[in-house]
Amino acid sequence: PSKKKFCFKAAKEHNIPEDLNKILENKVMETVSDLYYVNMSVVEMKCLDGADGEGIVAKSVSSHSDLIPGVYEGGLKIWECTFDLIDYFSEAEIQFTNKTVLDLGCGAGLLGIVALRGKAEKVHFQDYNSTVIDEITLSNVVANSINEGNRMGSGDDRRTSKPPSKRPKKVECLADVLAKCRFFSGGWSEVSQLLLSSNKPFSKYDVILTSETIYNPDYYSALHDTLAQLLDKNGCVYLAGKAHYFGVGGGIYLFEKFIVERNVFKTSIVKIIDKGLQRCIMEMAFK
Ligand SMILES: C[S@@+](CC[C@H](N)C(=O)[O-])C[C@H]1O[C@@H](n2cnc3c(N)ncnc32)[C@H](O)[C@@H]1O
């Protein structure tokens, strides 16, 4: 990888709005793989109308690009390896119960949402772009918590015999789920520093989930060091990515080579999807 220096965005923790009803206001929800996600065209229209402080929607539209290095890193759409990883979790029966989980480069946040459903103790979401966290990730977490509160591990085993009081139940579930979540935007090193230096208690993650984050070799060092700084010593990274990203130059084998050279993690390619452009799932743990 080249030694190009980027000036990445500063890290920020996003507070969850007090009025939870506002989060889904003017949003249109769709479903995929049994998960809710916001319709992007509607979000894009709202963003072009001024809801996007970063201006990433306008920049992405005008440059016809899903990736603008250091400006917009792709979180507005759901990338296909997310679904590969979700499939892999069920095939390999990956357990999230009581785990602390980070969805790194989360975009829509579906991986973290699956971990919440699997009764994770905490799930933190990080995306490079604050607009993505505010307009997409947070909405998706809320929509899935409201609609499937009981599946999301709110720890509340209500009896079916209780009188139906739909609204308060939903709000209670949502608050329970949101209490397990934190949301961050900014560059990987910057977010890592924020977490490690903050006065809020921080314990390293048992599981880090990351999909389609290895496309740019210029970011490998920041990604590697962030994983090394934030993963618990007995933790595991589940990473999904394509064999090659045309035009950007990265790919899973190149990233694996980078990891081997750094000599901090052991890696194992646990699944190869050979439809069209090859995609892979890799597990990583400390040596
Ligand atoms: C191609 S998108 C994938 C989004 C999502 N994981 C998916 O599969 O749909 C890449 C993600 O990695 C994050 N990302 C990429 N480079 C980054 C960097 N240098 N620092 C922080 N985040 C970065 C982006 O914000 C984005 O969420």
Side-chain angles (χ1 to χ4, degrees):
S2 68
K3 292 268 178 287
K4 221 185 281 172
K5 267 272 167 213
F6 277 94
C7 185
F8 290 116
K9 280 185 199 284
K12 172 181 161 187
E13 177 159 10
H14 293 238
N15 293 324
I16 297 167
E18 275 183 24
D19 183 356
L20 298 178
N21 292 317
K22 282 241 179 305
I23 299 174
L24 292 182
E25 218 170 61
N26 301 323
K27 299 269 164 55
V28 173
M29 302 312 298
E30 308 204 3
T31 51
V32 63
S33 300
D34 205 17
L35 292 160
Y36 289 86
Y37 69 99
V38 287
N39 173 300
M40 272 315 304
S41 314
V42 177
V43 171
E44 279 178 14
M45 278 187 314
K46 188 179 163 203
C47 285
L48 290 170
D49 225 23
D52 171 14
E54 289 180 302
I56 55 168
V57 173
K59 285 172 195 157
S60 163
V61 170
S62 66
S63 64
H64 303 283
S65 179
D66 287 324
L67 296 171
I68 310 172
V71 176
Y72 164 54
E73 296 289 351
L76 293 168
K77 69 170 209 179
I78 305 175
W79 294 62
E80 64 184 330
C81 291
T82 275
F83 300 108
D84 295 339
L85 208 42
I86 291 174
D87 290 344
Y88 178 71
F89 295 155
S90 31
E91 288 158 19
E93 298 182 10
I94 304 297
Q95 298 300 316
F96 294 107
T97 314
N98 300 331
K99 297 273 169 73
T100 57
V101 178
L102 172 64
D103 183 345
L104 190 70
C106 62
L110 299 188
L111 300 175
I113 290 168
V114 170
L116 282 169
R117 274 190 180 178
K119 301 195 189 311
E121 181 192 316
K122 277 183 205 156
V123 179
H124 294 176
F125 296 86
Q126 175 276 336
D127 195 274
Y128 187 68
N129 293 106
S130 56
T131 300
V132 171
I133 294 287
D134 288 335
E135 297 299 324
I136 300 172
T137 323
L138 197 49
S139 309
N140 290 347
V141 171
V142 167
N144 284 284
S145 317
I146 287 178
N147 290 301
E148 304 181 45
N150 289 331
R151 290 182 58 175
M152 300 265 288
S154 66
D156 180 359
D157 54 355
R158 285 185 197 86
R159 299 208 181 132
T160 41
S161 59
K162 277 198 177 169
S165 57
K166 280 243 154 64
R167 238 186 119 71
K169 259 191 193 178
K170 283 183 178 177
V171 170
E172 192 183 64
C173 279
L174 176 58
D176 288 347
V177 178
L178 287 178
K180 300 174 167 195
C181 300
R182 288 173 73 184
F183 298 85
F184 301 90
S185 63
W188 284 318
S189 317
E190 290 74 9
V191 169
S192 182
Q193 281 322 302
L194 176 82
L195 282 166
L196 294 169
S197 64
S198 136
N199 29 14
K200 283 196 190 171
F202 171 72
S203 52
K204 297 198 178 195
Y205 300 103
D206 300 315
V207 179
I208 300 182
L209 308 173
T210 190
S211 154
E212 308 242 20
T213 45
I214 47 128
Y215 50 86
N216 192 335
D218 291 329
Y219 305 166
Y220 284 5
S221 187
L223 179 57
H224 174 279
D225 293 352
T226 297
L227 296 173
Q229 284 161 7
L230 298 185
L231 187 70
D232 181 78
K233 61 181 193 325
N234 299 312
C236 183
V237 177
Y238 297 95
L239 179 149
K242 300 193 173 84
H244 189 70
Y245 289 86
F246 293 97
V248 210
I252 201 143
Y253 298 108
L254 193 65
F255 185 62
E256 192 182 30
K257 186 167 164 267
F258 186 94
I259 301 284
V260 170
E261 280 166 9
R262 286 288 180 102
N263 204 25
V264 173
F265 292 105
K266 53 187 180 199
T267 66
S268 151
I269 304 259
V270 291
K271 186 172 173 188
I272 295 178
I273 299 110
D274 248 331
K275 290 182 209 134
L277 183 61
Q278 194 185 79
R279 314 191 297 273
C280 301
I281 294 178
M282 186 165 95
E283 291 188 10
M284 293 167 55
F286 284 113
K287 281 197 161 177

